[in-house]
């Protein structure tokens, strides 16, 4: 059961978080100028995959419960960082994209900073998931 849940968790992470990082990174470059139609599509991509991405922590928690590692420090830190990243997306990136599409200027710097932090957080979480510092289960 753990192996099935873990596979589903990793698949959801690759399929949902991957597209969000790419679409969010491309957005600032296309938000101004003639390509706003593409930018609107990228914004919708971020929003849609954010909804799909809810499966990542849900399946992660199920995997952790089935492995009995929910209290491990590396997992608690991962959960906290995932929550920060989700908050950044829902309360920072998506609203700033929406306002940019609505014609508001001056958000490019903030969007770039939010998106950079968001991508960095996923990189840290993935390293934590693989390295599991302090874990005595698995390799
Ligand atoms: C609430 C958030 C999360 C929880 C509770 C969680 C839980 C887990 C657990 C229990 C494992 C199994 C580790 C083991 O084999 O001992 C795992 C593996 C993994 N998780 Fe997560 N996870 C979360 C978020 C994420 C996110 C956001 C990503 C990617 C962006 C991610 C990517 C991975 C990957 C790639 C593995 C496979 C690592 C390996 O087996 O070497 N997880 N996760």
């Amino acid at each position: 059961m753990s192996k099935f849940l873990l596979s589903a968790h990793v698949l959801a992470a690759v399929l949902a978080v991957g597209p969000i990082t790419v679409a969010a990174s491309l957005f600032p470059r296309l938000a101004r100028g003639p390509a706003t139609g593409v930018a609107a599509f990228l914004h919708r991509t971020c929003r849609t995959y954010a909804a799909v991405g809810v499966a990542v922590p849900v399946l992660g928690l199920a995997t952790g419960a089935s492995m009995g590692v929910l209290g491990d420090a590396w997992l608690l830190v991962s959960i906290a960082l995932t929550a920060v990243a989700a908050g950044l997306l829902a309360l920072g990136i998506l609203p700033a994209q929406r306002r940019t599409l609505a014609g508001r200027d001056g958000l490019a710097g903030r969007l770039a900073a939010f998106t950079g932090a968001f991508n960095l957080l996923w990189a840290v979480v993935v390293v934590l998931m693989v390295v599991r510092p302090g874990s005595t289960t698995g390799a």
Side-chain angles (χ1 to χ4, degrees):
M1 191 58 186
S2 293
K3 289 215 186 306
F4 170 76
L5 289 170
L6 178 58
S7 305
H9 170 63
V10 175
L11 190 65
V14 171
L15 294 182
V17 178
I20 300 174
T21 57
V22 174
S25 301
L26 292 175
F27 181 91
R29 243 176 286 165
L30 295 164
R32 320 270 355 117
T36 46
V38 180
F41 171 72
L42 291 172
H43 170 63
R44 279 203 307 280
T45 304
C46 288
R47 226 177 37 203
T48 308
Y49 281 88
V52 177
V54 173
V56 176
V58 170
L59 289 165
L61 289 170
T63 308
S66 126
M67 291 178 139
V69 295
L70 277 187
D72 285 18
W74 68 270
L75 195 52
L76 295 176
V77 173
S78 306
I79 292 171
L81 293 179
T82 301
V84 172
L88 201 56
L89 180 63
L91 307 174
I93 296 173
L94 291 177
Q97 287 181 346
R98 203 159 44 234
R99 286 193 210 109
T100 303
L101 287 174
R104 243 185 79 182
D105 280 325
L107 290 166
R110 193 190 304 180
L111 248 183
F114 282 161
T115 306
F118 180 76
N119 292 349
L120 190 66
L121 280 166
W122 293 138
V124 174
V125 172
V126 168
V127 171
L128 276 174
M129 294 277 140
V130 174
V131 178
R132 284 166 274 144
S135 166
T136 49
T137 57

